[in-house]
Amino acid sequence: MSKQPDGIHFFSWQSRISLLLPVGFEEFQEDESTHSVIYADDLDAEDEPGARILTRCTRLFPGQQEADLQLAEQTAALPGHRLVQREVLPLAGIPAIYQQLTIKDEQGEQIALDACVQVDDLLFSINCRAPAHRAETYLPQFQQLLKSARLILLSEDRPASLDPDSGLLAHHHLRLSAWLPDGWMPIEEKPEVLRFYGPATPGMSGYQPTFSITLAEPEDYSSNDWMQELVDERLEQLQDSADYRLLEHRSLQLPDLMPAATAGNRMMTTISNYCRSSLRVATGIST
């Protein structure tokens, strides 16, 4: 039986930020002019006031330094804002400025948890807001969603990226991101095929285990079984390939409810499990 996830994957090409948000959040507003998107869980007027999450990507002037710290300080200095705590913590494997604040304005008292990080000439920010009387509910959620954040550093001239420090891979054509184990490297065999090579296996003449992800599209979406037909076709291709013996095939869902299927031989189980647990597919809220 499928397990309901704790969070749902949201991604916007405007903010370039991928997040797992608690179930109940929805996209509220996306702004192309500011490269930002707002998510909210209080869209029903009859519900108790809830939380808003703002994610944004800002392009900086060449050579601008410490923009993340400057943004954090400017936010804390706004009228009605009071800084509770500021510290440096990793965001998607990159050191970022985190700060917790309280805010008093015409909407009452709010709690706030922000994260800002500069990567080259890009400034990424995540701002979390909720009513102060619901801090016990929302602060743990804010902390978890910040831990789930990924920065998708892709562009037309950078169709794939791999952070060597964190192991975060993002690929534009395949529209996915995943964490790779230490020592694994991706090779793009074709635009629709990405193969990962692991460290050489001791005692096996330099043999490297591999794991691949292939993008495919059904010829006919009108069939209710189009995904199963794709899986069956891929399994046939694998079994017909040289030196491949199928040991396992099973259906599952990714952490954010995306349906998936895996097939493996004896050399790919570990990398498959590692990547699958972190895999996010950017079906996206915007393109």
Side-chain angles (χ1 to χ4, degrees):
M1 178 180 294
S2 296
K3 179 185 176 182
Q4 284 295 110
D6 296 326
I8 301 295
H9 172 216
F10 284 89
F11 173 71
S12 167
W13 287 109
Q14 294 300 331
S15 69
R16 306 291 188 184
I17 297 175
S18 167
L19 289 172
L20 287 178
L21 298 181
V23 173
F25 276 80
E26 301 176 54
E27 179 198 359
F28 174 67
Q29 182 180 2
E30 188 174 51
D31 189 337
E32 184 176 353
S33 65
T34 61
H35 300 288
S36 65
V37 59
I38 297 174
Y39 308 98
D41 69 343
D42 61 350
L43 299 183
D44 188 338
E46 297 180 358
D47 287 346
E48 184 179 7
R52 301 285 173 107
I53 313 297
L54 169 68
T55 65
R56 186 195 307 261
C57 176
T58 304
R59 186 168 294 278
L60 304 170
F61 293 111
Q64 189 171 351
Q65 301 294 322
E66 296 188 334
D68 49 356
L69 179 58
Q70 294 174 23
L71 178 60
E73 291 177 340
Q74 290 171 4
T75 302
L78 290 172
H81 289 53
R82 183 178 68 85
L83 180 65
V84 177
Q85 183 180 15
R86 180 181 294 152
E87 57 188 332
V88 176
L89 295 171
L91 181 76
I94 304 170
I97 307 295
Y98 282 68
Q99 62 183 17
Q100 182 179 338
L101 309 104
T102 59
I103 302 173
K104 290 184 178 180
D105 56 20
E106 66 277 2
Q107 298 179 357
E109 187 171 353
Q110 301 178 66
I111 55 162
L113 187 61
D114 295 347
C116 311
V117 59
Q118 180 175 347
V119 182
D120 299 328
D121 62 344
L122 296 176
L123 175 61
F124 296 91
S125 60
I126 304 175
N127 306 105
C128 309
R129 304 286 186 269
H133 71 276
R134 302 188 67 185
E136 188 173 336
T137 297
Y138 280 114
L139 270 180
Q141 293 184 359
F142 293 164
Q143 292 163 354
Q144 285 301 117
L145 70 88
L146 289 176
K147 290 179 181 179
S148 78
R150 300 180 186 177
L151 309 179
I152 310 301
L153 306 174
L154 299 178
S155 61
E156 291 184 0
D157 59 351
R158 193 180 187 185
S161 67
L162 175 64
D163 186 329
D165 296 322
S166 68
L168 173 61
L169 167 84
H171 196 279
H172 188 280
H173 185 70
L174 296 182
R175 300 176 69 88
L176 60 82
S177 63
W179 300 107
L180 300 184
D182 290 341
W184 284 77
M185 291 297 297
I187 301 294
E188 187 181 78
E189 297 185 346
K190 302 177 183 178
E192 69 276 8
V193 180
L194 194 63
R195 185 175 296 276
F196 307 90
Y197 288 86
T201 303
M204 295 190 67
S205 303
Y207 172 81
Q208 291 179 270
T210 67
F211 170 69
S212 64
I213 296 177
T214 303
L215 177 67
E217 184 175 356
E219 295 181 359
D220 182 10
Y221 282 100
S222 63
S223 170
N224 293 330
D225 300 322
W226 66 266
M227 182 172 177
Q228 186 58 50
E229 291 170 359
L230 274 178
V231 172
D232 293 342
E233 178 183 346
R234 184 59 178 155
L235 286 174
E236 290 179 6
Q237 293 172 354
L238 290 173
Q239 293 182 88
D240 290 341
S241 63
D243 301 323
Y244 191 97
R245 183 164 65 91
L246 181 67
L247 296 182
E248 180 188 54
H249 166 229
R250 57 194 175 106
S251 299
L252 67 153
Q253 67 182 29
L254 298 179
D256 51 5
L257 280 184
M258 293 292 293
T262 62
N265 59 16
R266 65 188 179 90
M267 297 303 297
M268 63 83 73
T269 303
T270 300
I271 178 66
S272 172
N273 289 340
Y274 188 103
C275 287
R276 186 179 68 242
S277 65
S278 72
L279 189 65
R280 297 184 194 170
V281 181
T283 52
I285 59 174
S286 62
T287 58

